[in-house]
Amino acid sequence: MKLTDQLPEPTAGDPDPDALFEAFVEWTLSLGIELYPAQEEALMEVVTGANVILSTPTGSGKSMVATGAHFAALAEGKRSFYTAPIKALVSEKFFSLVDVFGAENVGMMTGDSSVNADAPIICCTAEILANIALRDGADADVDQVVMDEFHFYAEPDRGWAWQVPLLELPRAQFVLMSATLGDVSFFEKDLTRRTGRSTAVVTSAERPIPLNFRYAKTPLHETIEELLSGQQAPVYVVHFNQAAALEQAQALMSVKVASREQRDAIAEALGDFRFTAGFGKTLSRLVRHGIGVHHAGMLPKYRRLVEQLAQAGLLKIICGTDTLGVGINVPIRTVLITGLTKYDGVRTRHLKAREFHQIAGRAGRAGYDTAGFVVVQAPEHEIENERALAKAGDDPKKKRKVVRKKAPEGFVSWSEKTFDKLVEAEPEPLRSSFTVSHSMLLNVINRPGDAFAAMRHLLEDNHEDRASQRKHILRAIAIYRALRAADVVEQLDAPDEQGRRVRVTVDLQFDFALNQPLSPFALAAIELLDTESPSYPLDVLSVIESTLDNPRQVLSQQQFKARGEAVAQMKADGIEYDERMELLEDITHPKPLEELLEAAYETYRKGHPWVGEHELSPKSVARDMYERAMNFVEFVNHYGLARSEGLVLRYLADVYKALRHTVPDDAKTEELTDIIEWLGELVRQVDSSLLDEWEKLRHPGVDPAQAAPAEPERVTRNTRAFRVQVRNALFRRVELAALRRYEQLGELDGEDGWDADAWADALEDYYDEHDEIGTGPDARGPHLLMITEESDRWRVRQIFADPAGDHDWGISAEVDLAASDEEGHAVLRVTDVGQL
């Protein structure tokens, strides 16, 4: 039975609330789901039109209440919005609701994707809804708002987006949901005052799956072995950084986690899943042993694989980070928390009650478990003390002689008392995080009506205390004056036909503050470039990269590598230590076009003051990979980014999408189009899910049988992109030959008979004639690459750019097409290095 089959026939009057409730319950029963009392209470309130604040434990079915709320709104001909804090959760909910309500009834907006935006049910990030509320105010086409993970209201940088809809949408019905809300009496009164609706608070301390808490004073590996033998797996071992999670997983390889039969079942489930070199090989060994790893730095396909194996009951242990508190789809019986402190970017501190309960709440699987288990590890010094006392036995003299270890200096410790307090503590009250920005003012000014009255309402009737409100008012005045000075807004002598006394003088795209806010600047900067320059394609790439968020781990490793190489060179040049340290301060990650871009940005900002809220960041990640002629695995290995390869790939996918969507067609030269095709194919071959889902969003109603395959299509299928891969593979060798790095060339081609000595011998005659091999943009050009395509292989020759311009030296190779499809990148064998 489909839920849409339960919709009442259109009538002159509104549907009966009791009939709506009964229709929804009938549908849940058809699925074999019996609603919990808290779910029934919340849904009864929803169908009567009340606001609902739903504060129930994880696993208590808040998603089902959200579905019921959308059903009620759809039945009444109203438009409902579902918001979540991260795009992945929004996307997941979108596809889930499409299954329930049909593709025609569900749309999505996340800032970089928009699908069926006029649908009656919209899934979006909180920022998108806040933007709509600011732009349209009380007239916004929003009748109902379901806000998931509402505790993000207190997030310092993003909390404004959860507050603005409450302030600006008085006609809407609100359903606020979280497992860790704390005292909500303020929101109950505030919502009723603003919307004129009654507000029901539905709480339940009763978990469908009760939790058992324990404080462990045994070493971590012993605790895990005890949980495994006590039938308390799957166990999610929580760490507060990615490195510790992977190290612990590898340490557990010595423990017998899975039986022979279980390992065979894992191997069968893996089938021909493609693990790439580096972290992929490590993960392959771990999962075959029954151990998973799960954190944000992994490739999406690896995280999804771990989730699927766990759901099939094949993984007994998963080592991951505390990100499991937000929407991770892994069935867990036991949560084992390795510590009660975390580094928050500023300092190491104890977990807050909300954080602790978010993590602990993931234990226990509805429909599988009768109880969930939460175990917290004592600090190592406390465990050692406990073992020493146990060794002393019941002898008082021996106990007195035990020298108790103290926590290491600077270590933020915790104890069983800390644990007990967190278990008993209620989540901290949510604190307002309202902020004022250029985009807020521009949105309000752009709406019909009196912008001054609208801003006064926002600034004086938000959830801040009076002192904070005064600061916001002063900031808003300063922003308004800057907008006036830049002629971005103008004050009118008399209200216009839409009642505006002040208006915006420039066109603002709907999501100008959300979807790459510096994209308009990128368009302006691209116009400054010379299309005839050999470096034009890569310069366009640099413009786009400068407008994207920084992949911090990559930039940090680039700087580390650059400084290491600089130190080696300075030592060789005999530069003293103190001078070396001073010179190192100026060495950072590569920043192509930095001076041009920053000068252009300053000029652009004078006419578009709001871009000042978004930092321009010249960098070279995609360009660096291309210029080094590396594939994904080579780039990750070069910078030691195995633990962050998921972040690297997401960044490259963002670059690809920004190139496709931001760069005008008339600015795309053949060479630039080659780069775009190469980058898209690179991302697709490493993990097709990042682009497949992006494309799938455009056709959400497609039959699953016609969905994209789990593995990407043949890499040789996209001839244009494959040519670039071949060119890069050859040019990688050209660059190494230019640097006379014969050992590295030997590592690439030693198995084919071209070891370091063979390369050195082959190039000796070249260097007798010429001083160098060119590696600039001209040297990479297509005119120096010859390709003869055959059915099963390509015969290729990369010609050297020699100083004399003779172009009679080069590298000859054969490209194995079948092996390339198998590996997902160009596989070639060097056949000759020499003169034609």
Side-chain angles (χ1 to χ4, degrees), residues 675-706:
I675 290 176
I676 296 172
E677 288 293 317
W678 159 77
L679 189 55
E681 195 61 32
L682 181 147
V683 172
R684 191 171 285 108
Q685 290 297 323
V686 175
D687 190 340
S688 61
S689 64
L690 279 174
L691 298 183
D692 287 343
E693 181 168 292
W694 188 45
E695 298 297 339
K696 182 183 173 186
L697 291 174
R698 287 154 164 61
H699 309 287
V702 171
D703 186 330
Q706 302 173 11

Side-chain angles (χ1 to χ4, degrees), residues 18 231 488 566 591 651 733:
D18 291 338
Q231 304 301 309
V488 175
K591 299 180 179 180
Y651 174 81
R733 291 159 172 81

Side-chain angles (χ1 to χ4, degrees), residues 63 110 121 277 345 453 556 672 718 731 758 771:
S63 292
T110 63
I121 301 172
S556 175
L672 178 56
N718 186 337
F731 204 73
D771 294 332

Side-chain angles (χ1 to χ4, degrees), residues 436-440 475 479 601 605 609-615:
V436 177
S437 65
H438 284 79
S439 60
M440 178 179 284
R475 173 162 169 74
I479 291 173
Y601 176 73
R605 188 166 66 173
W610 63 85
V611 303
E613 294 171 2
H614 307 284
E615 183 181 359

Side-chain angles (χ1 to χ4, degrees), residues 185-196:
S185 54
F186 167 80
F187 296 102
E188 179 184 5
K189 295 172 185 174
D190 189 69
L191 276 175
T192 296
R193 174 177 71 87
R194 293 177 188 276
T195 65

